[in-house]
Amino acid sequence: MVLLALVLALSSIQETSPARHVDARRLRETLEKLSEFGRNPEGGVTRLGFSEADLAARGYVSGLMRDAGLEVRVDPAGNLFGRRAGSENLSVLLFGSHIDSVLHGGNFDGNVGCMGAIEVMRTLRDGNVRTRRPLEVVIWSNEEGNHFGLGTLGSGVAAGALGPEILERRDDDGLSLADWLRRYGQDPARLLEARIPEGSLAGYLELHIEQGPDLDERGIPIGVVQGIVGLERWMCEVRGFANHAGTTPMDRRRDAIAAASRHVLSVRDVVRAEAGRQVGTVGSIRAEPGATNVIAGRAVFPVELRDLDGEKIKRMWGAIQEQFARTDREENVETRCDLLERVEGERADPLFQSVIREAAESMSLETLDLPSSAVQDAQMVARIAPMGMIFVPSRGGISHSPRELTSWEDIANGAEVLYRAVLLLDERLNREGRDP
Ligand SMILES: [Zn+2]
């Protein structure tokens, strides 16, 4: 009777979700332990890249890698790798994320992908699974960039986007990045040896929390990332004429604040005019001279546009400039904008996207295709290798906050999808003829 009940219970679990290979409890334990490094009284962590808390956490993570039977090494940019040999002489399949946080960050951003990746390695070891290609876990250094103002630092160096010019950057304590690399046991003079030669990576997978509300709101457990959005940032200056606020008639004003305000609404209206997930933001306005009784003669504001499609960004910017020109004529002012920054969006590789979808389907988990609107290490790696990202839901879309939360069930599912995607890619990458 007991046996029958047990069989029934097991079969009902089987029905709702096929058995996971990864060990959900073990994964949770390591995430909880990791959250002790840099823990804040209000919850969450402050574990900036290149800090005591980060260094201690890396010690813990290296131990986990060694326990999982991985060969551990650190590159000169501070990226931490754990390698598992393959049965053939093929290029490496890499997966991981970051364990550094923002100031007063949460316990899940980056950490889920790192502990999930190590859990995948433990699961492969426990099951005596042999892969054809070597597998590596990576913990990228200083992804968030709150320290030194340089985000995706480790992956940026690895992908060739950053070089020795970053070494003399100093933090608020007057320490340089080179000083910190030495504290991490690295020789800054060898920084460029952290570059990953093109062709040596078969690809890169990253499991990450969504950091936005879509999956949570729709109750979908797995996001298949289509790519990481690109962005353009412009600084705009409106030149009017500063004059007496009492004696200047309304029809003779060249009011820089009034014109800038209309520009702000033009940005919003142009971005809203098309269907899609593009966003546009004016985050500040500074006006001069800045007195109650003087009409502003000058106003300065930034414009930021983001979308997966660089052409769409270009098109929106063109439409915004047309609107600015019309407003300038009506308000009798002049506006000019200078490009501050352009970051290219990066598409996830179609094979990687389909493999993630297939892995989720094999678990009877529903998926949603979506872009990442946040910066990711995968964006850097995409410059040198095909990449794919798996998203798991963020409760309420909250991230970079102690209130960041992803359920243990969603985390376990994400890690299982990563496990299955790694095995599918190990097989498919060969079949697709991607190796030399
Ligand atoms: Zn992150």
Side-chain angles (χ1 to χ4, degrees):
M1 200 57 203
V2 173
L3 187 65
L4 181 65
L6 189 66
V7 168
L8 283 173
L10 280 175
S11 65
S12 74
I13 290 169
Q14 290 284 335
E15 244 171 51
T16 48
S17 110
R20 281 191 292 247
H21 300 81
V22 300
D23 183 334
R25 205 176 61 187
R26 185 169 59 181
L27 175 54
R28 175 182 174 162
E29 280 166 8
T30 56
L31 271 162
E32 286 179 334
K33 177 72 191 164
L34 181 59
S35 74
E36 292 173 13
F37 297 91
R39 174 176 282 172
N40 288 320
E42 76 274 19
V45 294
T46 294
R47 191 163 63 230
L48 303 189
F50 303 111
S51 67
E52 295 299 339
D54 185 49
L55 196 51
R58 288 160 58 95
Y60 169 63
V61 172
S62 311
L64 289 179
M65 286 181 173
R66 272 189 287 271
D67 290 347
L70 305 179
E71 188 191 315
V72 178
R73 78 189 152 89
V74 182
D75 76 11
N79 298 313
L80 178 59
F81 293 87
R83 185 184 177 97
R84 187 174 193 268
S87 60
E88 292 175 36
N89 186 21
L90 294 167
S91 53
V92 173
L93 181 57
L94 185 68
F95 46 99
S97 192
H98 62 94
I99 60 164
D100 67 299
S101 80
V102 294
L103 284 162
H104 304 280
N107 292 328
F108 300 90
D109 178 2
N111 301 328
V112 166
C114 295
M115 293 302 101
I118 293 172
E119 177 57 32
V120 166
M121 291 296 208
R122 283 192 294 250
T123 306
L124 291 168
R125 180 204 54 195
D126 294 349
N128 275 322
V129 179
R130 290 290 279 168
T131 56
R132 299 178 68 187
R133 50 184 72 249
L135 304 178
E136 280 190 24
V137 170
V138 60
I139 315 295
W140 300 110
S141 64
N142 206 34
E143 192 270 352
E144 298 291 359
N146 279 190
H147 197 183
F148 294 110
L150 268 175
T152 58
L153 190 150
S155 55
V157 173
L162 299 172
E165 72 281 355
I166 64 175
L167 289 172
E168 287 315 309
R169 272 213 188 208
R170 281 177 199 279
D171 61 15
D172 296 340
D173 300 324
L175 288 170
S176 69
L177 179 60
D179 295 332
W180 268 105
L181 283 172
R182 277 188 282 269
R183 292 196 60 190
Y184 274 49
Q186 299 308 307
D187 176 2
R190 301 174 68 174
L191 186 73
L192 288 184
E193 290 173 28
R195 287 202 174 158
I196 298 176
E198 215 158 328
S200 69
L201 270 191
Y204 176 67
L205 271 173
E206 183 164 348
L207 167 65
H208 203 281
I209 59 168
E210 183 199 343
Q211 304 183 277
D214 282 357
L215 295 172
D216 186 44
E217 270 173 13
R218 298 184 200 204
I220 297 176
I222 297 292
V224 182
V225 176
Q226 300 160 306
I228 298 152
V229 301
L231 64 82
E232 278 187 13
R233 292 192 174 123
W234 298 80
M235 189 55 78
C236 300
E237 180 190 32
V238 183
R239 285 202 168 272
F241 189 80
N243 207 344
H244 197 294
T247 61
T248 315
M250 292 308 284
D251 60 350
R252 296 201 206 154
R253 296 181 177 216
R254 300 176 60 201
D255 185 337
I257 286 190
S261 304
R262 292 182 64 181
H263 290 339
V264 172
L265 296 179
S266 295
V267 170
R268 190 190 64 178
D269 294 346
V270 165
V271 173
R272 277 182 175 176
E274 270 189 69
R277 306 186 52 126
Q278 67 278 1
V279 288
T281 306
V282 176
S284 74
I285 299 185
R286 201 178 74 237
E288 290 167 11
T292 358
N293 56 358
V294 184
I295 298 159
R298 181 171 179 263
V300 180
F301 62 92
V303 178
E304 189 200 79
L305 301 172
R306 300 191 192 209
D307 193 69
L308 197 50
D309 179 0
E311 285 304 311
K312 188 188 253 184
I313 293 179
K314 212 177 281 175
R315 200 165 62 237
M316 290 192 297
W317 181 241
I320 286 167
Q321 282 183 302
E322 275 174 35
Q323 298 272 355
F324 281 9
R326 187 175 315 146
T327 301
D328 279 3
R329 285 194 295 276
E330 290 171 9
E331 298 287 342
N332 201 16
V333 298
E334 278 166 30
T335 302
R336 63 167 281 178
C337 299
D338 295 314
L339 183 67
L340 290 178
E341 193 178 7
R342 175 180 286 135
V343 179
E344 298 293 333
E346 296 288 353
R347 298 269 174 185
D349 187 89
L351 171 68
F352 283 54
Q353 291 186 58
S354 72
V355 154
I356 293 166
R357 214 171 285 120
E358 189 179 331
E361 276 164 12
S362 72
M363 293 286 296
S364 308
L365 297 172
E366 201 184 337
T367 62
L368 177 71
D369 292 358
L370 77 179
S372 168
S373 302
V375 171
Q376 307 283 359
D377 288 310
Q379 196 163 2
M380 286 294 145
V381 187
R383 295 173 174 218
I384 50 167
M387 64 84 179
M389 285 190 80
I390 302 159
F391 272 176
V392 287
S394 294
R395 272 301 156 78
I398 298 169
S399 184
H400 285 185
S401 153
R403 291 174 58 211
E404 190 175 84
L405 184 65
T406 299
S407 76
W408 299 118
E409 179 69 9
D410 284 336
I411 290 170
N413 281 335
E416 179 70 22
V417 169
L418 178 64
Y419 173 83
R420 294 182 185 213
V422 164
L423 291 181
L424 285 169
L425 279 174
D426 184 47
E427 171 203 331
R428 300 281 162 80
L429 281 167
N430 291 325
R431 210 199 289 159
E432 301 261 321
R434 293 204 185 199
D435 276 301

